[in-house]
Amino acid sequence: MRLTACAAFLVAGCAKPFQHGEDVDAGSPSFSTEIHASPKLTSIESAETDGLGRPVRVACVTCHGVRDAGAGFPENAAVLKDFHAGLSVAHGALSCKACHVDRHGGPPMLRLATGEELATSDAIRLCAQCHGPKYQDYLHGSHGGMNGYWDLGRGPRLRNHCVDCHDPHVPKYQPSRPVLPPKDRFVTPAPVGSHHG
Amino acid sequence: MDKAKRRTLKVLGSTLGAAAFAYAIEPLRAWASDMSLGELLQKHYRELTPDEMRAVLARLEADAEAKYGREVTIEDIRPTPGVELGYALNLSVCIGCRKCAEACHVENNHDRTTNNSYIRVLEMEQGSFDLEKGTTTYDHAVPSPGKYYLPVQCQQCDNAPCVKVCPVQATWKESDGIVVVDYNWCIGCRYCEAACPYHARRFNWSKPEIPAEEINPNQSYLSNRVRPQGVVEKCTFCLHRTRKGLLPACLEACPTGARVFGNLLDPNSEIRWVLAHKRVYVLKEELGTRPRFFYYFDN
């Protein structure tokens, strides 16, 4: 009898789910969340580099504010001969016109599927029209990096913009080499220069 | 017995007694040669009065400067009432770049020679949940096709095996859910390291080596102060940051935003949204450890 009770207790003990304490009302946050204003939204890398070897960025309006983009958009990036030559695009089957507005002079604009025009700094709305579930995740803090305070009652937070991590023309996250290989005694490090995994 | 004989015996006895005592504590003196009296006689963290705590922190700051040549601030930051810290990690998004492990390495003043970190990232075969088959030493471009990446750190269990096995109560669970270690109380028996099913605890085999300029000077008693040799250490959800409302270092370093952190008691927090809307699971649920670290998938 006692054994049965003991066994039941053990099983129940193991099956007990995670439970946190009483919910609290955290009130409305006194600090705000800011979205990083990426320079990629208003400028482009040039072939020049600065003293630190970083590419010099040129504001879009430097050219687009004064010059005519010409006879409309090309069908694809491959036929670009001028400033954006060599631009690689791998974003579904989208053409330039899907997101860019063909304007003559004035600041560059983006365009929603509805035809509504957007400033380039509002690009998140453009991304969100196709990537709804990702946008929902983003709004709830479960997609996209951030810095600052988890507790907005005590300080502000800075969120990444979509284009901080994804190149709008080639949005797939690019593979990279991992950092800080472990060197503790429980692991036998892979020989230097080997690339198996 | 005449008086002279009695005196002789007394003197002899007391001399012998003193000699025996000196001989008996000789090993202790040798062992404590690099330990101040204050350190030797220090009380358990939870028994220190505020004044004693101030004295301990001042001593530890002076020690850090003497041993590592860096002026540091060591605080004692207590949990906030109404806060239980929780962590969630999106396995659909993690790419295995190990930047979280690197950030932990820097933030928590880990030994530079061993690349120590509280986070291990396992490269796992898609479709497999067997941690034994995961590898931590991958060194190729990530993410690799057919793999997913599983970062593992302390799960801050509600039913923590490490706390149960500690013979001296040097590790315990605080009110905000963080399992902490009093590094000055730990005797280095490593029972907790053996008990942890997540392999989350580390033992300092040698005195941690860190160049003075690389030391993170914002430290706290229970988390990222430089640990002494011969004690066990673990992830504390960066309590020196998170108890002040800041995000943990590993989250800030994550380039993909795979990590979500917040207050489990706040129904409007990001982490509660994840727990309510995502397919969430915990590692080794069958062990009944009840972690506060959750893994989830996108659809």
Side-chain angles (χ1 to χ4, degrees):
Chain A
M1 175 61 211
R2 181 173 291 186
L3 196 68
T4 323
C6 187
F9 169 77
L10 278 176
V11 170
C14 289
K16 196 165 104 179
F18 169 82
Q19 275 188 313
H20 57 70
E22 288 294 303
D23 279 1
V24 294
D25 179 11
S28 52
S30 23
F31 290 88
S32 59
T33 300
E34 197 189 326
I35 296 175
H36 178 230
S38 171
K40 294 176 189 173
L41 294 167
T42 50
S43 63
I44 188 162
E45 284 182 10
S46 70
E48 306 288 319
T49 52
D50 64 9
L52 295 171
R54 294 172 307 192
V56 173
R57 300 194 73 90
V58 181
C60 305
V61 290
T62 311
C63 304
H64 289 277
V66 294
R67 67 180 269 189
D68 193 323
F73 277 106
E75 272 317 294
N76 58 57
V79 299
L80 286 168
K81 291 196 287 290
D82 223 345
F83 193 68
H84 295 289
L87 180 76
S88 49
V89 178
H91 195 158
L94 295 177
S95 71
C96 312
K97 283 188 184 135
C99 308
H100 292 280
V101 182
D102 183 6
R103 315 178 84 224
H104 303 286
M109 301 289 275
L110 299 169
R111 187 179 57 185
L112 294 177
T114 57
E116 185 193 337
E117 292 194 8
L118 292 176
T120 47
S121 51
D122 291 333
I124 288 187
R125 277 184 65 202
L126 180 72
C127 307
Q129 69 177 358
C130 298
H131 301 281
K134 280 281 171 283
Y135 182 59
Q136 281 305 312
D137 282 354
Y138 179 85
L139 289 179
H140 291 98
S142 99
H143 186 101
M146 58 180 88
N147 275 279
Y149 287 77
W150 64 262
D151 183 356
L152 291 172
R154 286 189 273 187
R157 189 183 301 168
L158 181 65
R159 299 287 313 266
N160 281 346
H161 193 286
C162 309
V163 303
D164 280 320
C165 308
H166 301 283
D167 175 344
H169 298 123
V170 188
K172 187 173 168 52
Y173 206 93
Q174 297 304 303
S176 59
R177 294 295 295 242
V179 294
L180 196 87
K183 288 197 295 197
D184 67 14
R185 38 181 222 105
F186 297 105
V187 298
T188 321
V192 176
S194 71
H195 302 297
H196 59 81
Chain B
M1 202 186 273
D2 60 24
K3 273 190 181 160
K5 204 176 190 180
R6 190 176 299 169
R7 196 179 315 122
T8 312
L9 277 175
K10 257 191 201 162
V11 170
L12 193 69
S14 57
T15 313
L16 272 176
F21 179 72
Y23 184 75
I25 67 160
E26 182 57 35
L28 186 67
R29 284 182 45 204
W31 166 71
S33 60
D34 65 337
M35 188 184 253
S36 65
L37 194 65
E39 198 174 344
L40 181 65
L41 299 178
Q42 186 185 312
K43 289 189 206 159
H44 190 280
Y45 172 88
R46 287 189 287 185
E47 292 181 339
L48 290 167
T49 64
D51 281 347
E52 287 167 337
M53 180 48 94
R54 268 191 291 278
V56 165
L57 295 177
R59 193 193 75 229
L60 290 172
E61 286 173 359
D63 275 2
E65 195 164 4
K67 284 185 184 156
Y68 289 95
R70 180 74 189 264
E71 214 172 297
V72 303
T73 314
I74 304 178
E75 293 177 274
D76 171 38
I77 310 161
R78 302 284 165 127
T80 314
V83 171
E84 286 186 26
L85 300 169
Y87 217 139
L89 199 149
N90 188 343
L91 294 172
S92 301
V93 175
C94 174
I95 54 164
C97 67
R98 281 201 296 254
K99 283 184 180 143
C100 52
E102 184 184 52
C104 176
H105 181 72
V106 172
E107 175 74 26
N108 287 301
N109 295 313
H110 282 291
D111 177 39
R112 293 299 186 252
T113 49
T114 52
N115 271 7
N116 196 13
S117 171
Y118 295 141
I119 305 175
R120 274 194 191 86
V121 185
L122 298 171
E123 182 174 64
M124 307 278 286
E125 204 65 49
Q126 275 181 6
S128 159
F129 275 87
D130 189 351
L131 267 64
E132 295 287 322
K133 294 202 173 78
T135 159
T136 56
T137 52
Y138 59 90
D139 183 28
H140 48 74
V142 291
S144 183
K147 307 281 189 192
Y148 74 97
Y149 296 85
L150 182 74
V152 181
Q153 60 206 81
C154 174
Q155 312 278 301
Q156 314 293 1
C157 309
D158 261 9
N159 186 19
C162 55
V163 171
K164 286 187 208 165
V165 299
C166 180
V168 295
Q169 294 181 30
T171 183
W172 65 94
K173 191 172 190 69
E174 301 243 289
S175 65
D176 57 357
I178 309 294
V179 175
V180 293
V181 181
D182 181 348
Y183 308 116
N184 283 39
W185 202 257
C186 170
I187 57 169
C189 71
R190 301 174 59 214
Y191 279 28
C192 57
E193 196 186 353
C196 175
Y198 306 104
H199 205 190
R201 286 178 170 251
R202 310 277 184 276
F203 183 68
N204 282 282
W205 290 94
S206 55
K207 173 179 174 248
E209 294 299 337
I210 315 169
E213 68 277 7
E214 289 182 22
I215 286 184
N216 171 10
N218 308 316
Q219 303 177 2
S220 86
Y221 184 94
L222 291 173
S223 64
N224 65 334
R225 66 188 170 105
V226 183
R227 279 71 60 189
Q229 180 184 359
V231 305
V232 173
E233 58 183 30
K234 62 182 281 297
C235 160
T236 58
F237 279 1
C238 271
L239 64 79
H240 52 280
R241 298 171 60 95
T242 51
R243 282 184 179 172
K244 292 177 173 177
L246 280 159
L247 290 160
C250 47
L251 186 146
E252 291 201 337
C254 179
T256 63
R259 292 167 167 269
V260 181
F261 188 86
N263 183 4
L264 290 165
L265 299 187
D266 174 5
N268 302 316
S269 64
E270 286 86 0
I271 186 149
R272 284 286 290 274
W273 185 86
V274 166
L275 295 183
H277 293 84
K278 296 288 184 179
R279 293 183 293 162
V280 178
Y281 80 101
V282 293
L283 283 188
K284 302 190 181 183
E285 184 183 9
E286 68 281 10
L287 300 178
T289 51
R290 299 203 295 279
R292 279 165 191 266
F293 196 106
F294 307 91
Y295 294 88
Y296 69 98
F297 296 100
D298 286 337
N299 296 327

